[in-house]
Amino acid sequence: MMSFLEGGGVQAEAIRRFDWTGNPIGDPENWPAALKTAANLILASRFPQCIVWGPSLITIPNDAFLEILGEKPEALGRSFSDVWSEAWASISPIVEDAFAGKATYIEDFPLIIDRRGYLEQTYFTFCYSPIRDEGGEVVGMLDTVTETTAQTTLRKEVQQRTEAENALAAIEERYHLVSRATNDAIWDWHFATNHVTWNEALETVHGHKLSGVEPTGEWWIEHIHPADRDRVHDSIQAAIDGRADNWSDEYRFARASGQYATILDRGHIIRDATGNAIRMIGAMLDLTERQRARAELTMNEERLRLATEAAEIGFWDVDVIHDALIWPPIVKAMFGISPEVPVTMADYYSGIHADDLEATLQGYAAAADPERRAVYDVEYRTVGKEDGVVRWVAAKGRGIFSEDGQCLRVIGTAIDVTERKRSEAQLLELNHHLERRVAQAIAEREQVEEVLRQSQKMEAVGQLTGGIAHDFNNMLAVIVGSLDLLNRRLGADDARARRYVDAALEGASRATSLTQRLLAFSRQQPLNPEVLDINTLVPGMSELLAHSLGTDIRLETVLAAGLWRTHADRNQLENVVLNLAVNARDAMPEGGRLTIESQNAFFDDRYSAANFGVPAGQYVLIAVSDTGSGMPADVIAKAFDPFFTTKEVGRGTGLGLSQVYGFVKQSGGHVKIYSEPGVGTTVKIYLPRFIGEDVAAEGITARLLPMGEEQEVILVVEDEAAVRRFSVDALNELGYHVLEAEGAVAALRLVDSHPEITLLFTDIVMPDMNGRKLAEEALRRRPDLKILYTSGYTRDAVVHNGVIDPGVELIGKPFTIEQLATKIRSVLET
């Protein structure tokens, strides 16, 4: 065959001249072999044909195809959607199907063609076939066009085509309905492309995977038994070549297993206006007796299902002759069997509870006995075949007998009465044990009331703490800061004054710790949670724990393999573990063993219901156990209360365990104490499991103090004059140039007039405009400005749900000069 680059004709010449530079399909010499072959064929063909290729749908027509375009511009190299722009909305789905690998066509498609200046109403049939390469991949589309009308018979042809379209649409609709509703292997054979489309039954019934089937008529004929093949082939050809509308035949068809099924094949032939066969649609019916019986049983089951479904009543049908059983899904569920699982009489026999089996089978035998013909009316228990669940079923039925008295079938209904039986049992139990149930209900109510009282008590402490925290921390900030500045200015020879200052600083530090513990108990402390591995955190504390416990306490760790991660504040969690370890030490004055364990834990709905406010789910457990004196039940009940302590006066504030409780609850966890006097105590902390990717924090290497020559400018905004004075003095002491403002309005004026300001150091709780809104307005004017917040109270604009907002830098009041220096450098150098 002559190469399409060497052949004659207008299009061949045009292809040689065509400049493909920049065109998506590239140089024709680089086309896939299948595309070249197709191009050769269409250029030599007298039928109007074209090739469509590439994402841009580039058109490659032959001369005959150009003739049907009339006065349209040349199609070579243009997008197929541009060539048929007026019809693209209608044909684009068919083109997409062709590129998806399906052979498609449009019959008698109407187009108005401009032929030598005269607009002519024409009709065409377009057949679209995928072009595949050697690997079976679709590389293009072949479009074959046939003009099906002439101007002189336009009116008659339009009417005929309309009728044909309606008939074809009806056939298509029937085809799709049958394809979805039947198990028959349905096929659709297009003669122009020799493409056969099968439904899924070819695979489900006969085992041929659709992905491995050649979609041609030859594949189908080759799978017919050799003794039937010629006869079937001849009968098909006779029907196609003649004038018949239908074809049918019986033959043996080879399944994928190698066995042959006896098939009744029926097809409907679709012809064009001239009588030529263009398509045949048919279905292969398996004629085995078992399939026919199953189809009949399925039909009967559907009838009964529709009749009883609305009433939530299940039907059952026993074919006594064939020992077959029909159960719809609702009855299968009563026996604990999935809807799609087939059932037999053995499932019925084995599914009945052993205590009810004899009476149930006697009732069934009486109903099937031609002499007695009793009504089958029994209630029995079933044991679920798949789930093991015990259910109650109320069943009724009757036998159907032949004229000679033989029982043919036993048909009836079944109702799940489990809830009724349960209600009856509950009512009986309530009548027998009313006093016990009332006492239990009262106890449960008292438990809920106790939890509510505890919650109200915590809320009251939280409100009190929040109310005093801001002012108290502001006062502590002035005290701690002033003492810190004074300590830096004392000479080395003034030992007495330094001792007084140190004592005052220690007292202020204890007051600060007291406030922080109150905030922790009331769950108002700001948290910086991160993804933690407890098996790494606990060993990392070993040196600190050993130092705190002393030599009389033996420390042991039991860390579970495969431990989940949690999301919590590292510093606060370390403080919790240390706090529990110190409490354990104090409970073992003569020495003992302290054990820290980790493991995975899961709370089910039952545990959650029994422990008010504890969500079900996965948790990471940290257990701290000692061999100390233990606690009685009344002490355990009060152990988490603020200021409750069993230690002697001066040895504890009573806030240690309450701080643990507040942190765990604020972190979404759960804490439990197990103790026995004289044996020891175990405190178990459950923190929610973290599921997700770690977010690694970037380390900051910052100098504690700036170099004096840097003279960075910091704007201090604080409405409390004493706190503002200390902050200014402290920053001056650290070598910064400081500007100050008592409120947001004055601060914004300084931001506008001093572009050299590098950091805004602002309190959060201020009148008129809080620190968060001030920072937002300042950043709108100066996007490069660094922001550091300070506050003595955590329920403010930058802490939500106890967690500091992402990207927010915060230093809590009170703070020392060293803490301020570190934080300032961290923010400036980030």
Side-chain angles (χ1 to χ4, degrees):
M1 180 179 292
M2 183 179 296
S3 169
F4 68 96
L5 293 179
E6 301 173 359
V10 176
Q11 289 304 98
E13 182 63 26
I15 289 174
R16 285 196 297 270
R17 297 197 312 268
F18 196 84
D19 181 11
W20 295 96
T21 303
N23 193 294
I25 63 175
D27 188 340
E29 289 295 350
N30 295 328
W31 292 353
L35 198 62
K36 291 182 180 182
T37 301
N40 284 325
L41 291 173
I42 71 162
L43 291 177
S45 175
R46 60 185 179 85
F47 297 103
Q49 292 180 314
C50 75
I51 296 171
V52 179
W53 191 56
S56 300
L57 302 179
I58 299 303
T59 304
I60 309 169
N62 65 3
D63 295 340
F65 188 94
L66 288 179
E67 289 181 4
I68 71 167
L69 296 178
E71 297 302 319
K72 279 179 173 285
E74 282 196 359
L76 179 63
R78 297 181 62 211
S79 173
F80 198 65
S81 59
D82 293 338
V83 175
W84 297 109
S85 58
E86 68 274 26
W88 183 245
S90 299
I91 66 175
S92 60
I94 313 301
V95 173
E96 291 174 2
D97 285 346
F99 274 92
K102 302 177 182 177
T104 58
Y105 72 98
I106 303 178
E107 282 190 292
D108 301 332
F109 191 82
L111 288 173
I112 298 177
I113 300 298
D114 185 353
R115 291 180 171 173
R116 295 174 295 280
Y118 179 77
L119 295 178
E120 181 178 313
Q121 174 71 62
T122 58
Y123 289 83
F124 295 93
T125 295
F126 297 88
C127 293
Y128 301 136
S129 303
I131 301 174
R132 301 176 183 271
D133 61 13
E134 294 82 353
E137 294 292 327
V138 176
V139 297
M141 179 192 79
L142 174 63
D143 178 12
T144 301
V145 184
T146 304
E147 185 171 350
T148 58
T149 63
Q151 184 176 6
T152 54
T153 58
L154 179 59
R155 188 181 305 276
K156 181 178 178 180
E157 289 292 314
V158 168
Q159 181 179 359
Q160 292 176 344
R161 292 300 180 268
T162 302
E163 293 173 353
E165 287 172 1
N166 293 336
L168 182 58
I171 293 171
E172 290 284 352
E173 179 66 17
R174 290 197 296 272
Y175 167 75
H176 289 298
L177 289 174
V178 171
S179 179
R180 291 194 300 266
T182 184
N183 288 329
D184 294 347
I186 297 175
W187 46 268
D188 187 352
W189 188 0
H190 291 256
F191 300 137
T193 61
N194 196 29
H195 185 277
V196 179
T197 302
W198 298 88
N199 71 342
E200 294 180 354
L202 184 67
E203 179 175 342
T204 58
V205 176
H206 299 291
H208 295 291
K209 292 187 176 297
L210 295 177
S211 59
V213 172
E214 286 291 333
T216 62
E218 284 76 11
W219 180 90
W220 177 18
I221 298 298
E222 287 173 0
H223 282 74
I224 296 175
H225 193 284
D228 302 333
R229 189 176 300 157
D230 291 339
R231 173 179 54 80
V232 174
H233 180 270
D234 293 342
S235 70
I236 292 175
Q237 287 301 127
I240 293 173
D241 295 338
R243 308 299 296 177
D245 293 329
N246 297 288
W247 164 83
S248 66
D249 206 337
E250 287 187 19
Y251 56 86
R252 287 161 291 178
F253 182 76
R255 290 176 170 161
S257 63
Q259 297 178 339
Y260 282 89
T262 302
I263 298 297
L264 172 61
D265 209 343
R266 296 158 295 179
H268 175 74
I269 302 172
I270 301 172
R271 301 181 183 275
D272 61 17
T274 62
N276 292 324
I278 59 175
R279 183 179 176 190
M280 182 161 61
I281 301 174
M284 297 166 54
L285 175 65
D286 192 339
L287 295 179
T288 62
E289 185 64 28
R290 186 173 184 84
Q291 281 192 329
R292 282 203 300 269
R294 186 174 297 172
E296 181 181 355
L297 291 175
T298 301
M299 179 182 64
N300 292 335
E301 180 183 9
E302 180 66 11
R303 289 173 179 171
L304 288 175
R305 184 188 66 80
L306 293 174
T308 60
E309 190 175 62
E312 296 184 350
I313 300 174
F315 72 87
W316 47 269
D317 187 351
V318 179
D319 185 341
V320 178
I321 303 301
H322 300 94
D323 194 30
L325 174 64
I326 295 177
W327 275 351
I330 187 172
V331 178
K332 291 180 180 179
M334 299 177 193
F335 283 75
I337 298 174
S338 299
E340 69 280 358
V341 175
V343 293
T344 65
M345 288 298 293
D347 294 307
Y348 167 68
Y349 297 135
S350 63
I352 299 174
H353 194 282
D355 294 342
D356 303 332
L357 181 60
E358 183 178 354
T360 304
L361 295 184
Q362 286 179 357
Y364 174 79
D369 187 345
E371 299 296 329
R372 289 182 286 174
R373 303 192 181 192
V375 175
Y376 177 69
D377 187 356
V378 294
E379 289 188 356
Y380 54 84
R381 286 164 291 177
T382 65
V383 181
K385 181 177 180 180
E386 298 175 7
D387 55 18
V389 175
V390 176
R391 301 172 177 86
W392 274 97
V393 176
K396 288 187 177 183
R398 285 184 179 273
I400 298 177
F401 301 88
S402 64
E403 294 182 357
D404 59 0
Q406 183 182 11
C407 182
L408 303 177
R409 298 163 69 189
V410 181
I411 300 176
T413 60
I415 304 175
D416 188 331
V417 294
T418 305
E419 287 301 321
R420 191 193 77 191
K421 288 289 187 179
R422 183 179 290 116
S423 298
E424 291 174 355
Q426 289 175 349
L427 181 59
L428 182 62
E429 180 186 359
L430 183 61
N431 292 333
H432 289 169
H433 308 286
L434 182 59
E435 182 178 352
R436 177 178 59 83
R437 295 294 300 275
V438 171
Q440 180 182 354
I442 293 174
E444 291 174 353
R445 185 181 66 182
E446 290 177 347
Q447 180 183 10
V448 172
E449 290 175 350
E450 179 61 29
V451 172
L452 179 60
R453 283 193 295 270
Q454 178 70 13
S455 176
Q456 291 173 339
K457 180 171 60 178
M458 290 178 55
E459 182 65 23
V461 174
Q463 291 177 354
L464 175 63
T465 303
I468 67 173
H470 181 265
D471 292 336
F472 192 47
N473 280 329
N474 271 343
M475 290 185 288
L476 282 175
V478 176
I479 294 171
V480 172
S482 299
L483 290 171
D484 202 5
L485 286 172
L486 178 61
N487 203 20
R488 295 168 71 95
R489 286 171 171 72
L490 286 175
D493 55 346
D494 198 349
R496 178 179 298 179
R498 185 175 295 279
R499 187 167 64 252
Y500 294 154
V501 171
D502 290 341
L505 279 172
E506 182 180 355
S509 176
R510 293 177 64 184
T512 300
S513 176
L514 179 63
T515 306
Q516 290 174 344
R517 290 191 174 195
L518 283 170
L519 287 171
F521 168 75
S522 59
R523 299 178 237 175
Q524 298 183 44
Q525 62 179 337
L527 300 179
N528 278 304
E530 58 181 291
V531 179
L532 297 178
D533 182 355
I534 301 303
N535 284 353
T536 302
L537 181 141
V538 172
M541 297 179 62
S542 58
E543 184 176 346
L544 175 62
L545 290 171
H547 177 75
S548 301
L549 295 175
T551 57
D552 293 336
I553 307 298
R554 186 169 75 254
L555 175 63
E556 296 180 356
T557 58
V558 181
L559 306 178
L563 190 69
W564 297 328
R565 299 168 300 166
T566 187
H567 194 241
D569 188 306
R570 177 186 295 273
N571 293 332
Q572 295 296 335
L573 183 54
E574 289 178 344
N575 287 338
V576 163
V577 175
L578 181 61
N579 203 327
L580 295 176
V582 171
N583 279 355
R585 178 201 65 192
D586 295 342
M588 298 182 289
E590 304 299 327
R593 182 175 70 254
L594 175 69
T595 304
I596 301 178
E597 300 176 72
S598 69
Q599 66 182 61
N600 298 325
F602 176 77
F603 293 155
D604 56 16
D605 293 335
R606 185 187 220 173
Y607 186 91
S608 180
N611 293 268
F612 185 77
V614 180
Q618 296 175 327
Y619 292 81
V620 177
L621 167 64
I622 306 173
V624 180
S625 304
D626 63 61
T627 57
S629 56
M631 293 183 287
D634 60 330
V635 173
I636 294 175
K638 301 177 181 178
F640 293 127
D641 290 355
F643 306 111
F644 175 79
T645 180
T646 58
K647 299 177 182 178
E648 60 189 49
V649 177
R651 293 204 59 194
T653 62
L655 288 173
L657 285 178
S658 61
Q659 180 184 6
V660 171
Y661 181 88
F663 164 74
V664 173
K665 290 297 183 181
Q666 188 175 354
S667 301
H670 176 53
V671 59
K672 198 81 172 178
I673 296 179
Y674 303 88
S675 186
E676 184 177 345
V679 176
T681 300
T682 298
V683 180
K684 292 186 176 183
I685 296 172
Y686 299 89
L687 295 174
R689 177 188 180 184
F690 173 78
I691 299 177
E693 298 294 330
D694 292 347
V695 179
E698 295 182 1
I700 299 174
T701 304
R703 294 169 288 157
L704 290 180
L705 300 175
M707 300 298 292
E709 65 273 8
E710 291 184 5
Q711 281 292 298
E712 287 134 320
V713 180
I714 298 176
L715 172 57
V716 176
V717 186
E718 171 65 62
D719 61 312
E720 292 284 345
V723 179
R724 184 174 69 251
R725 186 68 264 160
F726 156 67
S727 298
V728 171
D729 290 345
L731 291 170
N732 283 330
E733 181 75 16
L734 294 173
Y736 296 101
H737 180 65
V738 184
L739 301 175
E740 60 180 291
E742 65 178 352
V745 176
L748 291 173
R749 284 199 297 267
L750 289 173
V751 169
D752 292 336
S753 59
H754 290 273
E756 69 275 12
I757 295 175
T758 57
L759 182 140
L760 173 63
F761 181 40
T762 178
D763 190 19
I764 295 177
V765 181
M766 297 188 299
D768 300 329
M769 182 186 293
N770 64 33
R772 184 60 181 262
K773 292 183 179 179
L774 168 62
E776 290 174 354
E777 181 61 27
L779 287 172
R780 189 182 66 80
R781 305 178 184 200
R782 290 272 310 281
D784 60 333
L785 190 64
K786 305 288 186 178
I787 306 295
L788 175 60
Y789 297 102
T790 183
S791 179
Y793 180 47
T794 60
R795 284 189 177 176
D796 45 44
V798 298
V799 178
H800 294 89
N801 299 321
V803 179
I804 299 175
D805 293 345
V808 169
E809 298 289 348
L810 172 69
I811 183 171
K813 298 176 184 176
F815 47 79
T816 65
I817 293 181
E818 300 298 330
Q819 291 170 338
L820 179 62
T822 301
K823 193 66 177 179
I824 288 288
R825 292 317 304 168
S826 173
V827 175
L828 286 173
E829 297 185 10
T830 300

